[in-house]
Amino acid sequence: MPSSRREVEKARFPFWAAAFVALACVAILALSGWREWESRQVELRNAEVDMANLAQSLTQHAEDTFELADTILAGMVDRMEVGGTSPAAVATIQSFLQARKYNRQRIRGIFVYDETGRWLATTEEVDFAGLNNSDRDYFQRHRALADRGTLLGRPVKSRSGGQWIITASRRFNHPDGSFAGVVLTSVDVAYFTQFYRRFDIGPNGAVSLLTADGIMLARSRDDDGAYVGRDMSGSPLFRTMGERPDAGAYYFKSPLDGQKRLSFYQKSSRYPILVLATKAQSDVLAPWGRQAFMRFGIVTGLTLSIALIGFFLVRYLSKGQRMAAALVAKEGDFRLIAEQCSDIVMRVGLDERILYASPSCARILGWDPVRLLGTSALAGVNPEDRPRLEQVVAALKAGEAEEARIIYRANHRQKMEIWVETALRVTRSSETQEIDGVVAISRDMTEQKDLQDKLAALATSDGLTGIANRRHFDDCLAEEWARAKRDGTPLSLLLVGVDHFKKFNDQYGHQAGDACLRVLARMLAAQVRRPADLAARYGGEEFALLLPNTDAEGCELVGENVRRALGDLGMLHALNPPSKIVTVSLGGAANMPSQGAMDCGSLVAAADRALYAAKDSGRDRLVMSGQVVAWPGARSA
């Protein structure tokens, strides 16, 4: 193997060693992370199974409860339709209900209402004379529909006990088939709530019983009934229920308490209800998280130990390679490296004359490197930048710094001028270790500098109109105010606003509005005839003209020129009476900055008040602020 090839392979060895150590560490961490992720998924799947079993059991419990209510209703409907609603029959029914002992835990009460909603009989020991339930939804639905099936209603507050109840009701008829009344059974919401609390589903778990259309019937974590009757039909589960199976796992963020939840829902096949059993993901993953943190901490510690050992190994190898590279440089490889480099490499003596120049000089500067030997290294530097470069070189030669970097302009043989970035580093004698010169590595920065200039221009210009933006205006205003204050010269400002511009946009569209603003910007830019003058977009449909060294008379002249030029253009604006063309209102102010408390904001405020005065007095006109501060020795514009 050639000598150069062997050197390259040796130089690459620390890199491959570092890459191997890094890859091994990443692989260990990745495998550990994958294992923990799989463990996490197992925990979630186990919780899904638990929630599925719970939801199925609680669905069966709810079906059994409503089946008991349905059976009672069917029997009561038969009794009412056979016995009728005569006083004697009603008294018999009332005695029957008072004598029967129902499971009051499940079935809170039984109620009978006649065709007007008046209470006829009930198991409740209350005085129901004068009570009427015709306003209830279930009563109105039974009265309106001939359906003889059981209706599960929305939760309501019981008029006999005041607690939340779930109603199950049926219609009964007169012998001729007409509506005779309603038989109703009620189940306490608290019955379901207390039953659901028997199950340990974590500190933040919850079981909810809902109707098929999303109305909350009961919830385990609901002490004061705040959630009962809430409409959950807008939640993602119910919005997509038509596309889902009758039972399934469901992950969601609860709209009730904001908890991220793992859940399983089960729709009843017999009644329009749904049970949703949920656990908070934080509760499910808490044990896994503690164990995973401990395991991952151990793995991370071991990995860091491997990485630390690898780091010192690679550092040792790199140090050896650097020593070898230094020896190679002492043996003359500097020239070979320089000649292969795409940047210019120069060696400059203490007398600032070029001792060596790499071939890249021909490409970057257009000069044959041989012709540069013995010439001054600073000969082609722009005169404005040369003092900075001389100062840097002097500091390096004096030992004040070991290296430096500077950007400057240099002459090109064919081109006018290019931008160059040069990195400088001192060289030392191998015997005395004294500074004996400078190595300079230079590259062409012209394209990058042009790009930076373009970006700077974009940062100070308005994207729509192309003139200066508000930020640039504010900077220029502060500078010109300070200059006018220092020199004792006047400073004027014109604020220009398009009349009824919103109506213009509404009538002709935003594209036409943008075109209108661009036209006005060009007209304002045409008034900028001196280097210090500035036309800027102030905001929305408002523009500003900053006129340094201009008094009120000059400001008024410029403003009238703008107004007349826009009027002569005659852009149609049907909603701008009486001219029905695009016009502007102008507010002008001319100040002589003094040594007082005023700042540049006072000039803007004066022009703004004048602009509003122009608008208030009929638009399409110029109003000049009367605020002019005298300044001794002021010069007229």
Side-chain angles (χ1 to χ4, degrees):
M1 180 182 292
S3 176
S4 60
R5 181 78 174 273
R6 286 197 298 270
E7 294 298 333
V8 171
E9 292 299 328
K10 288 180 181 179
R12 290 179 178 176
F13 183 72
F15 168 77
W16 290 115
F20 174 78
V21 172
L23 183 62
C25 293
V26 170
I28 293 172
L29 291 175
L31 288 173
S32 177
W34 176 79
R35 180 184 176 279
E36 296 303 337
W37 179 259
E38 285 297 312
S39 175
R40 179 182 186 274
Q41 297 305 105
V42 169
E43 291 290 338
L44 292 177
R45 285 194 291 270
N46 290 339
E48 287 180 15
V49 173
D50 292 342
M51 292 298 98
N53 294 334
L54 180 61
Q56 292 167 0
S57 299
L58 295 182
T59 301
Q60 181 64 51
H61 167 264
E63 289 177 343
D64 292 344
T65 300
F66 290 120
E67 183 178 25
L68 174 60
D70 202 7
T71 302
I72 293 173
L73 289 174
M76 289 299 300
V77 167
D78 287 342
R79 285 181 173 274
M80 294 306 300
E81 290 186 343
V82 170
T85 58
S86 64
V90 168
T92 301
I93 289 296
Q94 177 65 23
S95 300
F96 170 77
L97 291 179
Q98 291 295 325
R100 296 298 297 260
K101 299 297 183 181
Y102 290 99
N103 183 352
R104 297 301 292 271
Q105 284 188 331
R106 286 199 176 189
I107 305 301
R108 174 71 184 185
I110 305 173
F111 304 84
V112 181
Y113 312 114
D114 68 8
E115 58 191 355
T116 66
R118 182 171 57 87
W119 290 37
L120 296 180
T122 180
T123 55
E124 298 291 325
E125 296 180 0
V126 295
D127 181 11
F128 55 82
L131 295 180
N132 192 291
N133 274 36
S134 61
D135 61 328
R136 297 293 200 187
D137 289 341
Y138 58 81
F139 188 90
Q140 295 175 6
R141 289 187 61 179
H142 284 307
R143 184 170 58 189
L145 301 175
D147 185 7
R148 303 293 300 277
T150 298
L151 172 66
L152 291 182
R154 293 191 175 193
V156 295
K157 283 281 185 93
S158 171
R159 283 178 173 151
S160 59
Q163 71 278 5
W164 281 103
I165 58 172
I166 303 170
T167 62
S169 57
R170 280 197 179 195
R171 163 186 173 140
F172 65 91
N173 294 335
H174 289 298
D176 61 359
S178 62
F179 177 65
V182 172
V183 176
L184 178 139
T185 59
S186 63
V187 180
D188 271 356
V189 169
Y191 165 71
F192 287 107
T193 301
Q194 293 167 4
F195 183 78
Y196 293 159
R197 288 177 181 170
R198 300 177 185 176
F199 299 92
D200 183 10
I201 51 178
N204 296 298
V207 177
S208 299
L209 177 65
L210 304 101
T211 63
D213 56 357
I215 303 301
M216 182 70 72
L217 298 177
R219 190 170 187 265
S220 59
R221 301 179 64 82
D222 188 13
D223 295 327
D224 55 0
Y227 298 131
V228 177
R230 185 171 295 189
D231 188 352
M232 307 300 295
S233 60
S235 65
L237 174 63
F238 285 95
R239 286 203 307 268
T240 59
M241 187 58 74
E243 306 168 5
R244 294 177 176 273
D246 289 345
Y250 175 56
Y251 288 78
F252 69 104
K253 183 176 181 180
S254 174
L256 299 178
D257 55 18
Q259 290 266 7
K260 289 185 177 180
R261 295 187 173 276
L262 174 158
S263 68
F264 195 92
Y265 68 89
Q266 176 73 53
K267 290 176 67 175
S268 171
S269 59
R270 297 159 55 191
Y271 297 99
I273 57 173
L274 176 146
V275 172
L276 184 68
T278 73
K279 275 189 174 183
Q281 287 193 49
S282 57
D283 294 342
V284 174
L285 298 176
W288 166 83
R290 290 190 293 270
Q291 296 173 10
F293 180 79
M294 182 175 62
R295 290 192 297 264
F296 199 74
I298 295 173
V299 172
T300 302
L302 293 175
T303 305
L304 288 175
S305 300
I306 295 172
L308 189 61
I309 294 171
F311 169 75
F312 284 111
L313 175 62
V314 172
R315 185 179 179 184
Y316 175 78
L317 293 173
S318 298
K319 184 177 180 180
Q321 292 299 322
R322 286 195 299 270
M323 293 175 63
L327 292 174
V328 169
K330 291 293 183 181
E331 294 171 0
D333 282 351
F334 167 79
R335 184 180 298 273
L336 176 62
I337 295 171
E339 290 176 354
Q340 296 299 320
C341 182
S342 60
D343 295 339
I344 299 174
V345 180
M346 287 186 180
R347 190 161 187 173
V348 183
L350 290 177
D351 58 357
E352 298 181 3
R353 295 196 174 272
I354 298 173
L355 303 176
Y356 169 79
S358 68
S360 298
C361 285
R363 178 177 58 83
I364 295 177
L365 296 176
W367 290 95
D368 186 344
V370 176
R371 297 187 61 181
L372 295 177
L373 297 180
T375 64
S376 172
L378 306 180
V381 178
N382 184 286
E384 295 181 3
D385 299 334
R386 185 164 178 165
R388 290 190 300 111
L389 189 55
E390 289 176 342
Q391 184 179 6
V392 170
V393 172
L396 291 173
K397 290 193 297 182
E400 297 175 6
E402 287 289 319
E403 57 186 28
R405 188 178 298 270
I406 188 170
I407 298 176
Y408 56 91
R409 289 163 289 181
N411 293 330
H412 188 279
R413 188 175 183 182
Q414 286 84 27
K415 303 175 185 177
M416 293 294 294
E417 203 170 51
I418 63 171
W419 283 92
V420 176
E421 180 186 47
T422 298
L424 303 163
R425 186 175 182 84
V426 298
T427 60
R428 297 180 181 272
S429 169
S430 58
E431 290 108 9
T432 64
Q433 294 300 309
E434 296 291 332
I435 295 174
D436 61 3
V438 175
V439 173
I441 301 177
S442 305
R443 61 190 181 108
D444 188 354
M445 290 283 293
T446 306
E447 291 185 6
Q448 183 175 343
K449 193 68 171 62
D450 289 343
L451 180 59
Q452 290 175 352
D453 293 341
K454 290 177 181 178
L455 290 175
L458 288 175
T460 59
S461 61
D462 179 61
L464 175 64
T465 62
I467 62 176
N469 59 17
R470 174 67 178 274
R471 178 181 177 182
H472 188 47
F473 168 79
D474 290 340
D475 292 341
C476 290
L477 176 61
E479 291 176 4
E480 294 301 334
W481 180 271
R483 181 179 292 110
K485 184 175 181 179
R486 182 178 63 251
D487 298 342
T489 56
L491 179 63
S492 294
L493 174 64
L494 272 174
L495 290 183
V496 184
V498 182
D499 294 331
H500 297 300
F501 184 69
K502 183 179 184 304
K503 294 180 179 179
F504 186 91
N505 267 341
D506 295 341
Q507 178 75 7
Y508 302 106
H510 287 280
Q511 289 184 340
D514 291 346
C516 175
L517 294 179
R518 284 192 288 266
V519 169
L520 181 56
R522 286 195 295 270
M523 295 179 61
L524 293 174
Q527 299 297 322
V528 176
R529 299 173 182 174
R530 298 176 299 178
D533 292 348
L534 179 70
R537 187 177 180 191
Y538 193 72
E541 76 280 8
E542 291 189 1
F543 294 82
L545 270 178
L546 184 64
L547 304 171
N549 202 23
T550 302
D551 58 12
E553 182 179 351
C555 179
E556 183 175 0
L557 179 61
V558 173
E560 285 298 331
N561 288 343
V562 172
R563 192 183 66 82
R564 283 197 300 269
L566 185 61
D568 293 342
L569 190 61
M571 282 190 295
L572 181 63
H573 187 352
L575 299 181
N576 184 29
S579 64
K580 296 191 176 181
I581 61 173
V582 174
T583 61
V584 292
S585 297
L586 302 97
N591 272 0
M592 188 76 72
S594 69
Q595 298 294 339
M598 289 191 303
D599 57 15
C600 57
S602 63
L603 183 64
V604 176
D608 192 52
R609 288 193 297 270
L611 175 60
Y612 276 96
K615 291 182 177 181
D616 292 341
S617 59
R619 292 185 169 85
D620 189 18
R621 65 197 61 212
L622 166 67
V623 171
M624 289 295 298
S625 171
Q627 183 180 1
V628 177
V629 180
W631 175 255
R635 299 188 298 273
S636 177

